[in-house]
Structures are given as structure tokens and as C-alpha cells.
Amino acid sequence: AQSVAQPEDQVNVAEGNPLTVKCTYSVSGNPYLFWYVQYPNRGLQFLLKYITGDNLVKGSYGFEAEFNKSQTSFHLKKPSALVSDSALYFCAVRDGYGNNNDMRFGAGTRLTVKP
Amino acid sequence: KAGVTQTPRYLIKTRGQQVTLSCSPISGHRSVSWYQQTPGQGLQFLFEYFSETQRNKGNFPGRFSGRQFSNSRSEMNVSTLELGDSALYLCASRGTVVETDTQYFGPGTRLTVL
């Protein structure tokens, strides 16, 4: 079965600095990887996804993520953090092997960007 | 296009009661999934419906059930509520059930069980 891990509960960065939120995954077939962001009292907003092709995926709000098959990772990055990026970030994976696979989410990483 | 909508946004119930939550997917989307989000367990998959049929189910007791209507709107029901059912219940829709299709989430229903 597919699974995903976010090894950091909390990431703190200063405004203007680059940020990285880490994600590793485990699947039987091809991984389909997603990043979502959740603001307080809101649902999850889609940021980006990797299906196939270029390992660097660009998404909403200046975020990008790098797929690394050998390290089974899909880290979320942004060159210059904003205070408004402070939120809860979720990595998710769906396994391309088998049928009726549900989407599995990591535990989430709380990003705090300080002015 | 309007996003995924969920009603009600907030609910307070007491133990033993039952509750029904509603989700309207993005127009044209035929798949609806439900998730439970709690601080301790994170986001857990409940079930997915496509064309009025349940196609996948998570590891939840039978007290949790759902259905989908011909217009793709979905309802989730929890019977005999327990304190541990207090959570944010999220609904997500996607156009198809292709693995690569993106899910879009609603704002959630915050259920508090007293």
C-alpha cells in the first residue's frame, strides 16, 4: 500500500529566505504526488502535482517541487518565503499500481515564516 | 466555476445522536471523496463515490456511511456519535477516477460531539 512521510512537524524560516518542506513516499507502482496547503479553518488548496516527465514541477503562488525517484522524495520549495506562506502543508500520494487506490496524506508540516 | 461546497460548516451534537453532512462537488465532477481530519490522526480517508457507487472505503466502522446522488452531490452519515468523532470532515471532488486526476477540497464541516 502507498504511504507518505513528512519528517518535520514544523519548519521555521525568515521572510525572504528560501524554504523547503520535505516529503518521502512509498508505492508499489508509479507515484502520483501532490502538495496541498491548508490555512486556518479552511479546506485544503491544491498547489501542484507530479505525474510524469520533468522532475521539477511548478505550481501556484511561486511554489515548486522536485521529484527524486532514487531518494523517493518530493520536496516542496520556494525561493523566497512570504509571511503569508505560513500555513499547514500536506504531501499526498496515489499509487499507480492496482485499482481503486485512495490518496494517502502525510501528517502535515506547519510552516511559519517570520518577518 | 464554483468550488466544492459543504453544509453545514459547523455542527454540535451529543453522544448517541446521528448526523448527516452534505457535499456538492465542482460542476461536472463525478467523484466525491470524504476525509476525517483530527489533530491526532491527521487526514484519514473515509470513502469515495463515483457515479452513485462506492468504489473505495477506508478503515472506519460501519457507523460511517455515505451515498451519492445522480447529480453527484454526496452525503455522509455518522450514527451513534462518539466523542472521538469530533473532527473536521472534508469533502473532495475530481472529474474522473483516473489516478492522476486532481482532487479539490471543500472548506469542511467542523463536527463537535459533546
Side-chain angles (χ1 to χ4, degrees):
Chain A
Q2 66 271 35
S3 65
V4 63
Q6 293 180 244
E8 300 161 316
D9 293 336
Q10 174 97 25
V11 170
N12 298 314
V13 298
E15 188 175 29
N17 282 359
L19 70 86
T20 299
V21 182
K22 296 179 181 178
C23 171
T24 60
Y25 66 89
S26 174
V27 295
S28 299
N30 291 324
Y32 303 125
L33 295 153
F34 303 78
W35 275 103
Y36 288 85
V37 59
Q38 186 178 33
Y39 296 98
N41 300 315
R42 303 280 293 276
L44 275 64
Q45 294 179 32
F46 170 70
L47 284 177
L48 51 80
K49 69 179 177 182
Y50 171 83
I51 303 303
T52 188
D54 194 348
N55 289 342
L56 186 64
V57 179
K58 294 188 183 296
S60 307
Y61 314 119
F63 284 94
E64 57 189 28
E66 186 168 10
F67 172 68
N68 188 315
K69 186 173 183 178
S70 62
Q71 296 185 3
T72 60
S73 67
F74 188 55
H75 301 331
L76 182 70
K77 301 181 180 185
K78 188 174 183 181
S80 179
L82 300 172
V83 172
S84 57
D85 292 331
S86 299
L88 190 56
Y89 289 81
F90 289 96
C91 181
V93 66
R94 198 186 291 274
D95 196 336
Y97 177 81
N99 298 315
N100 299 342
N101 291 317
D102 59 85
M103 182 177 281
R104 296 294 172 92
F105 286 82
T109 298
R110 185 163 301 282
L111 172 68
T112 301
V113 182
K114 298 184 178 179
Chain B
K1 256 186 190 179
V4 178
T5 58
Q6 292 185 244
T7 56
R9 291 293 311 277
Y10 302 91
L11 265 179
I12 300 176
K13 294 285 187 178
T14 56
R15 279 181 298 174
Q17 287 186 310
Q18 69 98 24
V19 67
T20 300
L21 312 181
S22 181
C23 171
S24 292
I26 292 171
S27 178
H29 283 192
R30 296 169 61 194
S31 163
V32 173
S33 295
W34 288 89
Y35 294 84
Q36 182 195 65
Q37 185 179 18
T38 59
Q41 299 297 319
L43 272 160
Q44 292 188 287
F45 171 74
L46 280 156
F47 28 65
E48 181 179 23
Y49 286 87
F50 179 75
S51 294
E52 303 178 65
T53 301
Q54 188 183 88
R55 67 185 300 271
N56 205 352
K57 189 177 190 305
N59 190 24
F60 278 82
R63 299 185 298 108
F64 292 82
S65 63
R67 59 178 175 168
Q68 187 179 34
F69 301 96
S70 58
N71 61 358
S72 295
R73 190 177 69 86
S74 177
E75 288 183 346
M76 189 193 94
N77 185 77
V78 187
S79 63
T80 319
L81 284 166
E82 300 177 358
L83 294 179
D85 297 333
S86 294
L88 181 66
Y89 289 88
L90 293 164
C91 163
S93 77
R94 53 179 174 152
T96 70
V97 291
V98 174
E99 281 79 5
T100 57
D101 211 358
T102 300
Q103 282 188 333
Y104 295 92
F105 284 80
T109 295
R110 173 79 58 189
L111 172 64
T112 302
V113 182
L114 303 176

